[in-house]
Amino acid sequence: MTTPPSATPPPSEPRTPSAPRPPAAPRSGPRPAPWVRTRLRAAPLGTLLAAALAFVAVLLAAALPRAQDRGADQALRSFLNEAGSTRTSLQATAPAPASGQSAQALDRTLKSLLARTGNTFHVEAEKVVHGTRTNKRQPLMNPELSRPHRLPPEMSLLYVQQAQDHVNLVEGRWPTGTPRPAGGAAYAPPLQVALSRQAAETIGARVGSVLASAPLVDGTPSVEVVGLFSVPDETEDFWVGLDCLPRACKKTVGESYLWEADALIGAGDLDRMDLWGHDAQDFWRLPVDVDRLRADRLDATKKEIASYVAGPTAATLSFETRRERLRTTSWLPELFEQAHERRQAAAPLALLGPAGVGGVAFVVLCLAGALAADRRDAELRLLLARGGSRSAIVGRLLGEGAVTVLPAAAAATALAVLLLPTPRLAPALLSAATVALLALLAFPVRAAVLLTPARPAGRWRRPVAELLVLAATAAAVLEVRRRGVAPAGSDPDPLLVVSPLLLALCGALLLARVQPVVTGWFARVAGRRSGLVGFLGLARAARGSGARGAGSPGPSVLPMVALLLAITTGGFGAAVLQSVESNRLGVARLAVGGDAAISAFGKANLPDGLAKAAGELPGVRTSVPLWIDHDSALVGTVQRSSQVNLIVVEPAAYAELSRVLGCGSFDPALLATGGGDSADAPVPALFSSGVARLGGSGTFTVQPGNGAEVRVRGAKVIDCTPAVPAADAATVVLPAGRATALIGGSDRPNRWFGLGPVDGDRLRALVRSALPPESATPAATGAASPADAAAASASPAAPATGAQPADEVYPVRTSADAVAELGADPLQRSAERLFWASVAGAAGFALLAVLLTLMRTVPERAALLARLRTMGLRRRQGVALILAETLPQTLAAALGGALVAGAAVTLLGPAMDLTTLVGASVPTGVRLTAGPVLTQALGLAALVAAAVLVEAATSGRRQITTELRAGDQR
């Protein structure tokens, strides 16, 4: 019987191993979709949110190191630029060679000097100044030259190779080589020189003058002035150290003076230059390009410059140039050390903000991973039950994360590099890679933990971990109190910088244990009252809505840790900045003498009515006009007579000024004088500690500079007085009234101090309006010397445009201007900007932590609200329920954060040195004030409450409607 083709063939004999196996038939049907693509398409919103979170976290991680580098570099360069080009240059000198001196020899040495630079520091080659100068100035014996006090002018000769590019020849010609006498005659012609026109006019020389010096043993050549030049810009760095070339200098000799003028010679006379004074020196000034220095390479730069000055490089240069006595000096090593110390002092504040935002971001990434794993718990367990291994599941989750996180991290890193250009790239890449790795691993690691078989719970694990955190915190705090946040001579210890974070972590762990208990107690209290919203919301807050897993449920600790970290770091840093501002204001007030001050030069008085008008300006709370004499003498001390500062002032106003400034507070009643006192009774006086150190007892006699005489008795010794705040100043303060009657002229003040928010521009305008036109010069106000007064009276037709401005005759100073000057340092500004940017980032991440927790409970909360809606719950009550559930943890975190921030200021504040941030020497320590801490705590709490309210009001209705349509499927 024939078998049909469609029938199943009978079983055949087993194939031998050598028989070839027929090819497998191709599978029919669609191929399975890739896992990663399927999962990402299943939750597009979650994918976008995860990418956005990774992008923001990596962007901050890459941007903060680059912002720190930019701020440090800017501060270093600003500090060095303020030091001046003289202190930031390499000064190389060597004796001029006995033979073969030429411009080419100077250039060859310069080339060798420049060849050893360019590694960690660069020299501005176009600004190099080099040449030769005589070491001693020789007196010019020509009788026609200017001789004040019968002292002849003195001159030295210089050859500066770049001089012609910085001057304008106004008369004659530029000196060249002096022609040699023919036939080897013994006669030596004069050296050709060029003088500045100002110097020539001062000493009385002109083109063609032959200037002869004092004869020496073997003869000294004379010089012939062949040209005059002018200097367009005497403030140019080129003229630093060449002061007597642009104009003649005045040299004081006892009570007399003489003129010093330097002259330029040509390159052809270099070989004869040493005859002028028998000694010449070559010099090279190499200005270092401070705008190319980097703070992160400061130590290497310091070592290289030290080697250049006195080390292997210096020895090599001496050998290459064949100048054994080549010496190089520089202030740069000392300046680098000062810059390093300044950076160390500002580092705690600059590192505190990034540490805070880093800690909060770490918590948020861990929370996001935990919530994602919790949301997909059922799916992951189903995969495990169907035969999937934990390693395979974790690998698939890593693939999902790589597609989401890595492109976002790469884009964020590139954006940070483009927005914040700086030479150093490694810290930004390392920080970005760390955060990207954390964002990538948070979800898979949490999933691996969930899929691990449950082990018996150990009740000892959490207490032991909390005790370890507490021990680390206590050790860090004790070390900070012992060494300080930034120990002298070393960089800040990371453990010391994160001390506020450890305190915040301890506070969060403690609050996590206390908050459910307290919230549960409030829930029981609310349960005894009518109404369901308060009881249900507080009960869910105490239980921890959305909590899963074994054991008793409770609220998540991570959002509370994020909030406490943000509030603690923000409050602590804000307290530091508040102390900085307070100290700046105190220093500025002491420097000014109040919030505003008007002074008169010398012994001149203020214009009539000016002090009264200044006291009536808007904002002036206290007006203190006074008379001060710095040339008074105190007779009767151990030294018989001592010079003191004498102040005559109204006691009550001066006491208020002293109290506000914190400088020598006293009771004004001590200076009260009764009407029954006799005319010869001593006047009560305040003595500064400087007067007390002079010794003596009983009464003293004060002799003002105008010749009067007043008997005084000490009523109190004060350590400081606002008018003369110097610690070692000897000052006597007398009350106006009797002292005014005894001291002539003391009724007209020569100083005015004011307290209050005084407008400096308005005060200067008042001074200008009070100054008579004929008093616009110091001579008319009594501030000029008798000679200047005579000159002014001899030229009454002088133009008014040459008069001295009123605000220079009577200088006006305000504490606001002084505070601005103290805070103008880029190091301070960069540290403050970085801190506030970090605080904003930490607040944003803390808010995100709360919202993530809130979004995780959306399904459960929507189901609950849907059930309650069917029982008559109104929409407004639903919003109130959400707030009652969410806000207890937020308010507890705000209160706990404020307390922890206050504890951090109390424990760590005394160890912080604020001198660099203030800009002046101040006592070490941070003062605890409630304002900055409460502002941070309440501000973040209000921000979180507003975000929760907006979320509840906008999304709650849609979610409840969806639940009501779909029904309860749980």
Side-chain angles (χ1 to χ4, degrees):
M1 183 176 180
T2 305
T3 304
S6 59
T8 304
S12 59
E13 296 295 329
R15 296 178 179 272
T16 61
S18 60
R21 190 169 187 176
R27 295 183 179 180
S28 60
R31 300 178 61 183
W35 168 270
V36 174
R37 186 183 67 185
T38 303
R39 288 306 310 162
L40 296 182
R41 286 184 175 181
L45 181 59
T47 301
L48 291 178
L49 291 179
L53 177 60
F55 179 85
V56 174
V58 174
L59 179 63
L60 287 178
L64 285 176
R66 298 180 71 81
Q68 286 179 323
D69 283 351
R70 286 169 60 87
D73 291 343
Q74 183 183 5
L76 171 65
R77 293 162 185 171
S78 175
F79 173 71
L80 294 178
N81 281 321
E82 290 178 358
S85 60
T86 302
R87 293 168 62 88
T88 58
S89 299
L90 298 170
Q91 307 281 350
T93 59
S99 61
Q101 175 69 308
S102 64
Q104 291 73 21
L106 293 171
D107 291 340
R108 285 194 299 270
T109 302
L110 175 62
K111 185 177 180 180
S112 299
L113 293 173
L114 294 177
R116 295 291 173 175
T117 65
N119 186 13
T120 60
F121 71 95
H122 299 78
V123 171
E124 297 180 274
E126 67 279 2
K127 295 184 179 180
V128 171
V129 180
H130 69 292
T132 306
R133 70 190 315 160
T134 56
N135 288 332
K136 294 182 180 180
R137 288 187 171 90
Q138 297 297 320
L140 303 178
M141 308 310 296
N142 300 57
E144 69 273 11
L145 299 181
S146 175
R147 294 193 176 197
H149 304 282
R150 298 183 180 180
L151 296 177
E154 296 180 352
M155 176 179 288
S156 64
L157 305 182
L158 287 91
Y159 168 75
V160 184
Q161 189 157 358
Q162 304 86 351
Q164 297 185 51
D165 299 332
H166 299 269
V167 300
N168 296 326
L169 189 65
V170 296
E171 186 178 354
R173 60 180 177 83
W174 196 256
T176 57
T178 304
R180 297 295 188 270
Y187 167 73
L191 298 172
Q192 297 181 5
V193 300
L195 272 175
S196 70
R197 181 166 55 185
Q198 290 88 341
E201 293 174 354
T202 301
I203 67 173
R206 62 181 184 273
V207 174
S209 297
V210 178
L211 308 179
S213 65
L216 298 179
V217 176
D218 50 357
T220 300
S222 57
V223 297
E224 179 183 2
V225 180
V226 298
L228 300 179
F229 61 85
S230 63
V231 178
D233 184 11
E234 296 184 20
T235 63
E236 191 180 2
D237 289 343
F238 177 83
W239 301 105
V240 174
L242 306 175
D243 302 330
C244 299
L245 270 177
R247 60 179 65 246
C249 303
K250 181 185 291 187
K251 177 182 178 181
T252 303
V253 180
E255 297 182 356
S256 306
Y257 70 90
L258 57 87
W259 296 111
E260 293 181 337
D262 294 342
L264 292 172
I265 68 169
D269 284 336
L270 279 173
D271 57 345
R272 298 178 60 204
M273 189 175 181
D274 59 347
L275 297 179
W276 187 270
H278 287 227
D279 191 10
Q281 185 183 63
D282 297 339
F283 65 91
W284 299 265
R285 177 157 58 86
L286 313 176
V288 174
D289 188 359
V290 299
D291 292 332
R292 299 177 65 178
L293 294 178
R294 292 167 48 182
D296 61 290
R297 304 181 66 182
L298 194 60
D299 291 339
T301 307
K302 181 180 176 181
K303 292 179 181 178
E304 186 171 349
I305 288 184
S307 175
Y308 199 98
V309 172
T313 304
T316 303
L317 286 173
S318 297
F319 176 77
E320 288 181 354
T321 60
R322 298 182 180 180
R323 293 175 180 262
E324 297 180 357
R325 297 172 61 185
L326 179 67
R327 298 291 181 267
T328 305
T329 60
S330 178
W331 286 94
L332 281 172
E334 290 78 7
L335 292 176
F336 288 165
E337 185 65 28
Q338 296 175 20
H340 182 64
E341 292 175 356
R342 284 161 45 83
R343 186 182 179 189
Q344 286 178 332
L349 181 63
L351 296 177
L352 178 62
V357 70
V360 180
F362 174 80
V363 172
V364 170
L365 291 176
C366 292
L367 179 62
L371 294 179
D374 191 15
R375 177 174 56 86
R376 297 176 58 179
D377 183 34
E379 172 195 346
L380 299 178
R381 293 187 184 278
L382 179 61
L383 291 175
L384 187 64
R386 290 186 174 182
S389 65
R390 281 184 298 163
S391 59
I393 295 174
V394 171
R396 291 179 181 271
L397 296 180
L398 281 174
E400 292 181 32
V403 174
T404 303
V405 172
L406 296 184
T413 305
L415 182 61
V417 171
L418 290 176
L419 293 179
L420 298 171
T422 185
R424 195 164 60 149
L425 189 61
L429 293 181
L430 180 61
S431 179
T434 302
V435 175
L437 186 62
L438 176 62
L440 180 63
L441 296 179
F443 177 31
V445 170
R446 176 61 178 168
V449 173
L450 289 178
L451 298 178
T452 302
R455 291 181 295 175
R459 296 185 176 181
W460 52 270
R461 295 176 184 172
R462 180 176 177 181
V464 168
E466 292 174 347
L467 288 176
L468 289 177
V469 173
L470 181 62
T473 305
V477 170
L478 292 176
E479 194 68 8
V480 168
R481 297 295 297 264
R482 186 178 68 88
R483 297 171 53 198
V485 177
S490 62
D491 293 328
D493 191 335
L495 180 63
L496 308 183
V497 174
V498 300
S499 298
L501 303 184
L502 292 175
L503 287 172
L505 182 58
C506 288
L509 296 178
L510 177 61
L511 198 59
R513 289 187 174 274
V514 173
Q515 185 258 335
V517 177
V518 176
T519 307
W521 181 82
F522 278 110
R524 288 192 295 271
V525 173
R528 300 189 187 101
R529 299 175 178 270
S530 60
L532 180 66
V533 173
F535 167 73
L536 187 58
L538 292 174
R540 286 172 59 83
R543 179 176 59 87
S545 57
R548 297 179 184 270
S552 59
S556 177
V557 180
L558 292 179
M560 190 174 298
V561 172
L563 287 172
L564 256 76
L565 286 175
I567 294 174
T568 301
T569 54
F572 182 78
V576 171
L577 292 179
Q578 177 68 24
S579 295
V580 169
E581 294 178 0
S582 177
N583 283 322
R584 279 182 189 163
L585 181 58
V587 171
R589 280 179 161 179
L590 278 181
V592 173
D595 289 320
I598 307 175
S599 305
F601 280 115
K603 296 184 178 180
N605 298 317
L606 297 177
D608 294 337
L610 177 59
K612 181 179 179 181
E616 296 174 353
L617 285 176
V620 177
R621 296 192 303 266
T622 303
S623 176
V624 188
L626 57 84
W627 179 84
I628 184 170
D629 179 32
H630 299 286
D631 297 328
S632 297
L634 184 66
V635 181
T637 62
V638 175
Q639 302 178 6
R640 295 188 179 182
S641 179
S642 303
Q643 184 175 359
V644 296
N645 303 301
L646 179 62
I647 299 175
V648 178
V649 65
E650 199 279 320
Y654 200 67
E656 175 67 11
L657 181 66
S658 301
R659 183 189 65 80
V660 173
L661 268 62
C663 178
S665 300
F666 66 95
D667 185 1
L670 295 173
L671 298 183
T673 55
D677 292 342
S678 59
D680 58 348
V683 180
L686 295 177
F687 290 163
S688 68
S689 55
V691 173
R693 285 193 294 268
L694 298 176
S697 59
T699 61
F700 303 90
T701 300
V702 176
Q703 296 177 345
N706 58 9
E709 186 172 293
V710 181
R711 294 179 65 244
V712 299
R713 60 175 177 84
K716 184 180 180 181
V717 176
I718 54 178
D719 56 352
C720 176
T721 182
V724 188
D728 56 348
T731 307
V732 177
V733 181
L734 299 180
R738 285 192 58 194
T740 302
L742 296 173
I743 303 174
S746 61
D747 57 333
R748 297 188 60 190
N750 52 18
R751 300 288 188 276
W752 177 84
F753 301 106
L755 292 175
V758 186
D759 187 351
D761 294 335
R762 178 174 293 184
L763 186 59
R764 292 183 181 91
L766 176 65
V767 171
R768 287 192 294 269
S769 64
L771 187 65
E774 62 272 11
S775 300
T777 61
T781 61
S785 64
D788 294 336
S793 62
S795 56
T801 57
Q804 191 172 0
D807 52 358
E808 294 184 10
V809 178
Y810 300 105
V812 173
R813 300 185 65 195
T814 63
S815 60
D817 295 338
V819 168
E821 292 175 2
L822 290 174
D825 190 349
L827 184 65
Q828 305 166 4
R829 295 199 304 269
S830 64
E832 293 176 10
R833 285 197 302 266
L834 186 62
F835 169 77
W836 287 120
S838 302
V839 167
F845 276 115
L847 176 62
L848 182 60
V850 176
L851 293 180
L852 285 175
T853 307
L854 190 64
M855 294 300 295
R856 176 63 191 96
T857 62
V858 164
E860 180 183 352
R861 188 175 65 248
L864 174 64
L865 292 177
R867 298 189 194 104
L868 294 177
R869 180 67 63 87
T870 61
M871 291 187 286
L873 184 73
R874 294 189 297 273
R875 181 184 178 186
R876 184 175 301 176
Q877 290 178 317
V879 174
L881 177 61
I882 297 175
L883 293 177
E885 176 185 346
T886 308
L887 292 186
Q889 190 178 35
T890 302
L891 296 178
L895 178 60
L899 294 177
V900 173
V905 174
T906 303
L907 294 175
L908 306 177
M912 293 199 67
D913 185 6
L914 303 179
T915 296
T916 299
L917 294 175
V918 172
S921 179
V922 294
T924 302
V926 177
R927 291 189 294 271
L928 175 60
T929 53
V933 176
L934 291 179
T935 299
Q936 297 293 317
L938 297 180
L940 186 54
L943 181 63
V944 171
V948 171
L949 180 61
V950 170
E951 193 277 337
T954 55
S955 62
R957 184 175 182 178
R958 177 177 55 81
Q959 295 161 357
I960 294 173
T961 303
T962 303
E963 286 289 333
L964 290 176
R965 288 177 178 174
D968 187 6
Q969 312 226 348
R970 295 167 183 79

